[in-house]
Amino acid sequence: MAPTPKECDYLVIGGGSGGLASARRASGMYGAKTIAIENQRLGGTCVNVGCVPKKLTWNAAAISETIKHDAKPYGFSVNETAPFDWKTFKHKRDAYVKRLNGIYERNLGNDKVEYIHGTATFKSKNTVNVKLDDGSVQEINAKKILIAVGGRPNKIGIEGEELGFNSDGFFDLEEQPKKVAVIGAGYIAIEMAGMFHALGTETHLFIRHDTFLRTFDPMIQEKVSAEYERQGIFLHKQSSQSKVEDLGNGTKRLHYKDSNGEGTLDVDGILWAIGRVPETDKCNIEASGVKLNDKKHVVVDKYQNTSVENIYALGDVCDQGFELTPVAIAAGRRLADRLFGGKNDAHLNYENIPSVVFAHPEVGSVGLTEPEAREKYGDSLKIYTTNFTDLYYSMMEDGKKSPTAYKIICEGPNERVVGLHIMGINSSEVLQGFGVAIKMGATKADFDSCVAIHPTSSEELVTMK
């Protein structure tokens, strides 16, 4: 006998940070009867196979760089007694992520959100069927439904693709590859290539053009690409891949073509990091009537409204282009404020959202790139740039110093800052405060009026001429 249908005010499909933030706010702050459904681990991409485990791995890579390259110039004699213990680190990282999963579940309980572990599929615009872990099906009728199912790694579509792993699979690796091919030019590929290299893996990075991070400002593209080559990452430009062969004993042969012609590369690891696709195909979304774009993203307006009156969407599943966890969290909270808190105009402003790439070195960006600003403002721009060596690297020999580069893009007679792009040590921490200033409409004069903190890299941002 099928369970009695459940009724609720707010049904959230997806256990990522954005959907859960919206669920908790709707229930805990406004008293809406709320149910959250997830068929995997709570926290979504960020907690399980994204931001959190990635940053922990980046920390390990940064420590490796300190030991191998930075300690000796500062007078330390550091001898590694053994190579990096990938397996021990991996298991400690897994344990931390599992702890976070538990915290997410407890927080749902604290805010009186009913959590169901299962797979949701639409039956109509108000009704969802949930296949539970025991195989039974629970029907849920909801007044309002939020789609927050996120995305999954894209496939490249070549013979032997299954012999490699994607960005999710990176965190499942029990052993560190000795030699790896990373295919992709977005922030995931660049971050993971940098981490592999810093931890001692011979790293080959395959990109389709001459630079990577191509949605970022040209200064960032050119300088980080050059820095990766300086560090010893093998950069295969203008590349494509045709197939992968299994040679046995864990070795794979990648067939490729790049700017130097056709070739093969034998590796023990291949990482496909060629973007993500929305998970809309798994929830029978067609039955809801929600409109999708040609890439299967949910079409939404600035209020997270879909084409169906009572259905909303946020996060990576949407067509808004910001695949960032804090963006989804902020949008989810504002959506709950609007739907249940009486704040009729509550919505996230998607302008001037800061973002960071945990590359080697770090990259930070907020606002418009120079090409975007020129298209929007024409000749009214004034660009300030600086390139220098952070004091941290002053003790190193020439040729072993990581660069720092900053760009400020200003518009109009008051020189309002419309873009800020930074590359170098601690850029992720530097950007947060300047992101607030730019969000508030800061001008170059506002930057200049701030007394510099010396000696820091960030002082260059308030002293640039």
Side-chain angles (χ1 to χ4, degrees):
M1 182 175 178
T4 303
K6 290 179 177 286
E7 307 285 337
C8 67
D9 299 314
Y10 196 36
L11 174 62
V12 176
I13 303 174
S17 300
L20 298 185
S22 192
R24 291 180 59 198
R25 201 172 190 93
S27 181
M29 185 175 290
Y30 301 121
K33 185 178 180 181
T34 304
I35 297 175
I37 303 169
E38 175 55 63
N39 64 356
Q40 298 184 46
R41 296 177 294 177
L42 289 176
T45 298
C46 177
V47 169
N48 296 294
V49 289
C51 322
V52 172
K54 173 191 71 180
K55 184 63 185 294
L56 291 173
T57 310
W58 185 89
N59 288 341
I63 292 170
S64 177
E65 288 181 318
T66 300
I67 293 170
K68 293 177 180 177
H69 305 299
D70 303 347
K72 186 175 181 180
Y74 272 91
F76 293 92
S77 297
V78 179
N79 295 314
E80 290 186 86
T81 57
F84 173 65
D85 189 344
W86 180 284
K87 183 175 288 188
T88 296
F89 169 75
K90 189 261 185 193
H91 290 168
K92 288 190 70 174
R93 184 183 63 201
D94 289 349
Y96 180 71
V97 168
K98 187 175 181 180
R99 177 177 166 233
L100 290 182
N101 297 147
I103 291 172
Y104 269 79
E105 187 166 358
R106 286 195 295 275
N107 285 340
L108 288 176
N110 292 340
D111 286 318
K112 297 180 171 56
V113 176
E114 182 179 352
Y115 166 50
I116 299 176
H117 191 271
T119 302
T121 54
F122 277 97
K123 188 175 179 181
S124 70
K125 71 184 186 73
N126 288 103
T127 304
V128 165
N129 284 335
V130 183
K131 186 176 182 180
L132 305 177
D133 293 342
D134 63 4
S136 64
V137 176
Q138 173 69 67
E139 183 176 290
I140 301 176
N141 298 312
K143 296 176 183 177
K144 301 180 188 299
I145 298 176
L146 173 61
I147 303 170
V149 294
R152 65 177 182 272
N154 202 0
K155 292 186 176 182
I156 194 168
I158 64 171
E159 180 185 345
E161 176 178 5
E162 71 282 357
L163 297 172
F165 54 91
N166 58 34
S167 55
D168 291 358
F170 172 89
F171 298 104
D172 292 329
L173 293 176
E174 289 285 343
E175 302 291 340
Q176 180 179 356
K178 295 181 174 62
K179 185 176 180 180
V180 70
V182 178
I183 291 86
Y187 70 94
I188 294 175
I190 302 319
E191 289 175 335
M192 291 184 172
M195 290 185 282
F196 269 132
H197 174 70
L199 291 170
T201 296
E202 181 182 316
T203 304
H204 293 253
L205 178 59
F206 292 80
I207 61 177
R208 288 189 298 171
H209 300 278
D210 290 328
T211 59
F212 46 70
L213 297 177
R214 290 176 56 80
T215 61
F216 285 75
D217 189 85
M219 178 194 76
I220 298 296
Q221 297 179 39
E222 294 162 9
K223 291 188 177 297
V224 181
S225 298
E227 174 61 8
Y228 267 36
E229 287 189 288
R230 183 198 71 80
Q231 291 178 8
I233 293 175
F234 297 90
L235 200 55
H236 298 261
K237 303 176 181 180
Q238 301 176 29
S239 68
S240 61
Q241 299 76 44
S242 57
K243 69 175 182 178
V244 181
E245 293 180 273
D246 188 351
L247 302 183
N249 297 320
T251 303
K252 293 89 179 174
R253 176 166 291 167
L254 177 67
H255 293 253
Y256 68 90
K257 183 178 180 181
D258 64 11
S259 56
N260 294 316
E262 295 185 0
T264 60
L265 182 69
D266 293 350
V267 296
D268 57 336
I270 301 174
L271 167 61
W272 309 110
I274 53 172
R276 299 178 70 84
V277 294
E279 292 271 28
T280 48
D281 59 335
K282 293 187 176 180
C283 59
N284 192 32
I285 202 167
E286 294 81 4
S288 71
V290 167
K291 181 181 178 182
L292 306 180
N293 67 13
D294 58 354
K295 294 184 178 180
K296 304 300 182 183
H297 288 91
V298 178
V299 177
V300 294
D301 64 13
K302 68 179 182 180
Y303 293 100
Q304 313 302 143
N305 295 319
T306 71
S307 59
V308 178
E309 184 180 12
N310 67 302
I311 300 180
Y312 315 90
L314 58 78
D316 295 1
V317 76
C318 295
D319 65 343
Q320 288 169 319
F322 289 95
E323 296 182 353
L324 301 169
T325 296
V327 172
I329 291 172
R333 288 172 176 165
R334 285 161 178 77
L335 178 61
D337 291 341
R338 182 170 70 84
L339 298 182
F340 303 103
K343 300 178 183 179
N344 295 332
D345 195 48
H347 66 280
L348 178 62
N349 182 347
Y350 282 86
E351 290 185 355
N352 293 325
I353 291 175
S355 63
V356 164
V357 182
F358 288 101
H360 297 263
E362 297 170 60
V363 167
S365 177
V366 59
L368 302 175
T369 65
E370 186 174 341
E372 290 170 341
R374 291 200 181 281
E375 181 178 350
K376 185 171 184 177
Y377 297 111
D379 296 332
S380 67
L381 296 184
K382 188 166 183 181
I383 312 293
Y384 298 85
T385 61
T386 184
N387 299 274
F388 61 96
T389 300
D390 187 282
L391 182 64
Y392 178 81
Y393 297 105
S394 62
M395 306 296 284
M396 284 85 171
E397 298 176 6
D398 289 342
K400 296 185 178 181
K401 302 178 180 182
S402 186
T404 303
Y406 292 165
K407 176 187 283 190
I408 303 173
I409 303 172
C410 302
E411 173 272 327
N414 292 327
E415 294 193 347
R416 180 171 64 96
V417 180
V418 296
L420 177 66
H421 309 281
I422 61 178
M423 181 196 85
I425 191 170
N426 295 324
S427 286
S428 59
E429 302 294 345
V430 169
L431 186 66
Q432 188 70 78
F434 282 96
V436 173
I438 293 171
K439 194 77 174 174
M440 295 174 67
T443 64
K444 182 64 165 60
D446 293 325
F447 276 39
D448 295 343
S449 69
C450 183
V451 175
I453 302 172
H454 184 74
T456 64
S457 286
S458 57
E459 70 179 297
E460 292 284 334
L461 291 171
V462 299
T463 59
M464 212 180 297
K465 302 298 182 186

